[in-house]
Amino acid sequence: MGTKRGLELQPGEATAAPQILYGERLGDFKSNIQDAIAHRAYEFYEARGRRHGLDLEDWFRSETELLHPLKVNTWESPHEITLTAEIPGFRAEELKIGIAPESVILWGQVGPEHDRTGAYPARAPLALLHTIDLPGVVDPAHASATFSDGLLKLILPKAGTK
């Protein structure tokens, strides 16, 4: 797969692995994301003086803060799906990856100790939510991830190939 070679790490290049969640833990992960959206929507409600009737507007506004476009590429071989995503402004420990057999959820929250002055882009989001539908069925238990210089690389073995 010639395309993958351009993504290979050079000797001595540091990588970090974001947390991968799957199986039973995926349900809790999705619930935590919904809680974060609800919490932000409630902050909008309070900022308006707790006036009722705009709950959907608050919810959609909080989702909009999290949903940022990402450049995502996928490659498929007979044995695996490789996914890359450009996620500037985050560190590996601030990212979580939820993997279901047919989709991937990318979630990131910048920690309070993160120095944002050098973040690229300058208006990098403080939180991120992105869902990717996969072109095939994968085995989440055998997935691997690396994150270096804002580039996430996931190797997702196809189900039934191990």
Side-chain angles (χ1 to χ4, degrees):
M1 188 190 291
T3 317
K4 275 178 59 176
R5 283 191 208 116
L7 299 172
E8 295 298 322
L9 297 173
Q10 301 302 314
E13 187 176 356
T15 63
Q19 184 179 10
I20 295 177
L21 305 165
Y22 59 91
E24 292 178 9
R25 295 178 64 201
L26 192 56
D28 291 338
F29 175 59
K30 289 178 179 180
S31 178
N32 290 340
I33 292 171
Q34 294 296 316
D35 290 348
I37 294 169
H39 179 75
R40 184 64 179 139
Y42 187 77
E43 288 175 346
F44 290 133
Y45 165 73
E46 286 188 325
R48 264 196 339 275
R50 296 181 176 207
R51 286 181 316 177
H52 293 282
L54 299 172
D55 52 334
L56 284 178
E57 181 180 316
D58 293 339
W59 185 269
F60 292 139
R61 184 175 172 197
S62 64
E63 280 185 335
T64 301
E65 285 187 356
L66 299 173
L67 300 172
H68 295 276
L70 291 181
K71 184 174 181 182
V72 177
N73 293 305
T74 57
W75 295 270
E76 186 175 6
S77 76
H79 301 288
E80 67 186 23
I81 296 172
T82 301
L83 181 144
T84 63
E86 294 179 17
I87 309 176
F90 287 87
R91 296 187 300 214
E93 60 271 13
E94 296 169 332
L95 298 174
K96 291 185 181 180
I97 304 163
I99 303 175
E102 297 179 351
S103 65
V104 171
I105 300 170
L106 304 177
W107 171 252
Q109 283 187 299
V110 174
E113 70 287 344
H114 191 134
D115 176 19
R116 302 289 292 175
T117 56
Y120 174 81
R123 296 184 49 82
L126 296 175
L128 169 80
L129 172 61
H130 198 82
T131 301
I132 301 140
D133 292 325
L134 298 173
V137 179
V138 299
D139 179 0
H142 292 95
S144 64
T146 57
F147 185 74
S148 179
D149 295 328
L151 182 66
L152 173 69
K153 180 179 179 183
L154 288 173
I155 306 294
L156 306 161
K158 287 187 174 179
T161 60
K162 276 220 161 202

